[in-house]
Amino acid sequence: MADEFIPYSRQEISDADIAAVTNLLRSDFLTQGPKGAEFEQAFAERHKVSHAIGVSNATAALHIGCLAMDIGPGSLVWTSPNSFVSSANCAIFCGAQVDFVDTDPVTRNMSLEGLTAKLEAADKAGKLPDVVIPVDFSGLPCDLAEMRALADRYGFRILEDASHATGASYKGDPIGSAHADATVFSFHAVKIVTTAEGGMIVTQDDALAERLRLLRSHGVTRDDSLMQRASEGGWYYEMVDLGWNYRLTDLQSALGLSQMARMDEWRNAREARADRYDALLADGPFRRPARFNDRVSSWHLYAVELTEAARIGRTEMFAAMREAKIGVNVHYIPIHTQPFYEKLGFRREQFPNSVAYYDHAMSIPLFPAMSDAQQDRVVETMLKLAA
Ligand SMILES: *Cc1c(COP(=O)(O)O)cnc(C)c1O
């Protein structure tokens, strides 16, 4: 009997989701109607934050996040090499310079010690960053309180990339509600909550929120208080800044809103799978994700690193897992090693922790509807190959 393919991630689309999208298609607005605002409000309430601004994807959210924080030519932005390329590209879009802070081998997030040391050196050299973009890798929140203290001391802003961390929390606060100046979420189909493509940027800062709303929609406003001239009539709008068309449609928002109803149920299901992986893989040659008492992961990913004791290397293991119809993946190829970034002058050895992690890492299947039988097959295959 041939084994079915087990993907590393799979979206959950319910009949309620399908009904929500169908109803929206029969309504008056496909975009810029009431559903977008409804989704934004529900997302803001769930993450205990005053402003949530829906955008076409998380990359767009990172872009306007940088712009709203006045990033442009001459600015400096730091991020983590262990992320998707968008976390760095957003600064390049603005004409700014990018640099990286190596990851912590335990959290796989931006290293707090590394950030502290790099800031001390940058302060002496007079080259402090304007914005730092920490990434909550796999849904595990970064050391946000300590990073906030550093931001206040050195005068940079924090644009948190929480693309993996929808529904996560840190020291009791939902992600997005505390510590960062603005926080970005992704609703790409592989992420926690999906709108097919889509994203959200949240902030507690009224001025930033106003700027973000303008930037996601052409820099155009119909709000009298933002206009520079008197209205010329009911049709009147003004373009007061250069913005983009980065809106989230009502069609996408209807799906997102419907999906959000199951966010907590999914997080719990993901965590139960992660707990079970921790137990079943405990004796295997795998370094498992670290746990922390002061933060709740959304468990977007379950990534292991093969240890010295493994009989085969990660690359062989990956191929053998795929051969066994198990959809493993690797997150991430360190951004600074991409050809585009190499051309900017980065060298592989500059951020050794992220490269060492990449060389040994493998993300294994994790999604809310995964069965015990599927998980057992993943584990048995891994142990047979490597232990
Ligand atoms: C998915 C992802 C992005 C990009 O999200 P899109 O919505 O696809 O633009 C950015 N950063 C991280 C860490 C991601 O995982």
Side-chain angles (χ1 to χ4, degrees):
M1 194 184 74
D3 284 327
E4 41 137 19
F5 181 76
I6 305 174
Y8 93 90
S9 158
R10 188 164 63 202
Q11 71 271 19
E12 303 288 329
I13 301 292
S14 68
D15 289 346
D17 293 341
I18 292 167
V21 172
T22 310
N23 290 340
L24 195 284
L25 282 169
R26 295 200 174 96
S27 77
D28 292 335
F29 297 97
L30 298 185
T31 191
Q32 293 178 276
K35 211 41 111 180
E38 215 184 302
F39 180 38
E40 289 178 346
Q41 198 187 330
F43 197 87
E45 277 169 18
R46 173 61 180 73
H47 292 85
K48 295 204 172 107
V49 61
S50 42
H51 305 280
I53 295 126
V55 279
S56 45
N57 52 67
T59 306
L62 288 163
H63 183 195
I64 60 172
C66 284
L67 290 170
M69 293 179 185
D70 295 317
I71 294 305
S75 307
L76 179 58
V77 175
W78 291 358
T79 189
S80 166
N82 182 31
S83 186
F84 187 58
V85 293
S86 307
S87 306
N89 290 355
C90 56
I92 309 274
F93 296 163
C94 304
Q97 199 192 329
V98 171
D99 201 355
F100 299 91
V101 179
D102 206 359
T103 46
D104 179 295
V106 177
T107 64
R108 303 150 176 183
N109 285 334
M110 180 183 282
S111 157
L112 182 64
E113 292 73 43
L115 176 63
T116 306
K118 197 172 174 102
L119 285 166
E120 277 165 15
D123 192 22
K124 288 201 190 94
K127 281 196 68 181
L128 283 166
D130 301 285
V131 166
V132 171
I133 304 181
V135 181
D136 302 319
F137 178 75
S138 78
L140 180 73
C142 293
D143 301 307
L144 294 168
E146 293 85 352
M147 286 181 177
R148 178 77 257 164
L150 290 170
D152 292 341
R153 174 162 172 204
Y154 290 103
F156 61 85
R157 302 237 250 178
I158 300 176
L159 176 59
E160 183 182 357
D161 185 346
S163 290
H164 297 184
T166 304
S169 62
Y170 171 81
K171 297 190 195 290
D173 297 315
I175 283 302
S177 64
H179 310 298
D181 294 279
T183 302
V184 165
F185 300 88
S186 174
F187 307 136
H188 183 273
V190 299
K191 305 286 164 70
I192 303 270
V193 159
T194 189
T195 61
E197 295 274 357
M200 192 75 84
I201 179 162
V202 307
T203 181
Q204 302 284 22
D205 181 323
D206 298 345
L208 262 185
E210 188 177 293
R211 194 85 204 277
L212 290 165
R213 287 208 172 86
L214 274 173
L215 289 166
R216 75 144 170 210
S217 195
H218 309 286
V220 158
T221 183
R222 289 175 185 276
D223 178 347
D224 286 341
S225 70
L226 300 179
M227 290 189 193
Q228 287 163 26
R229 299 190 217 129
S231 169
E232 294 171 9
W235 68 87
Y236 191 68
Y237 58 85
E238 268 182 15
M239 180 183 146
V240 294
D241 201 349
L242 181 64
W244 277 256
N245 181 350
Y246 278 172
R247 292 185 300 259
L248 189 68
T249 65
D250 276 38
L251 194 59
Q252 292 166 310
S253 299
L255 179 55
L257 191 59
S258 177
Q259 289 252 305
M260 267 189 67
R262 301 187 314 285
M263 245 176 75
D264 293 317
E265 175 196 325
W266 289 340
R267 203 210 64 80
N268 295 340
R270 286 175 178 276
E271 186 169 71
R273 287 287 155 219
D275 290 347
R276 198 160 178 269
Y277 269 140
D278 271 5
L280 295 174
L281 294 172
D283 298 329
F286 309 109
R287 197 165 297 119
R288 294 159 296 156
R291 306 291 190 110
F292 297 86
N293 291 331
D294 65 347
R295 56 204 88 176
V296 175
S297 177
S298 60
W299 290 106
H300 168 54
L301 299 174
Y302 190 96
V304 298
E305 288 159 87
L306 273 72
T307 66
E308 299 288 294
R311 278 199 296 114
I312 56 175
R314 190 281 317 275
T315 302
E316 281 174 280
M317 174 106 183
F318 182 96
M321 293 293 283
R322 284 282 180 97
E323 187 69 27
K325 294 200 191 163
I326 295 170
V328 288
N329 215 325
V330 173
H331 301 94
Y332 283 99
I333 303 167
I335 301 174
H336 72 284
T337 68
Q338 293 288 355
F340 177 88
Y341 283 92
E342 259 177 24
K343 276 192 215 117
L344 295 182
F346 291 104
R347 287 166 295 103
R348 194 174 188 82
E349 324 75 72
Q350 263 179 292
F351 307 102
N353 293 348
S354 66
V355 171
Y357 173 74
Y358 168 62
D359 287 342
H360 298 94
M362 193 172 67
S363 304
I364 61 179
L366 181 69
F367 49 91
M370 193 176 192
S371 68
D372 280 359
Q374 286 175 317
Q375 193 173 22
D376 290 343
R377 208 180 106 210
V378 174
V379 168
E380 281 156 22
T381 311
M382 287 173 76
L383 293 173
K384 198 167 75 193
L385 288 167

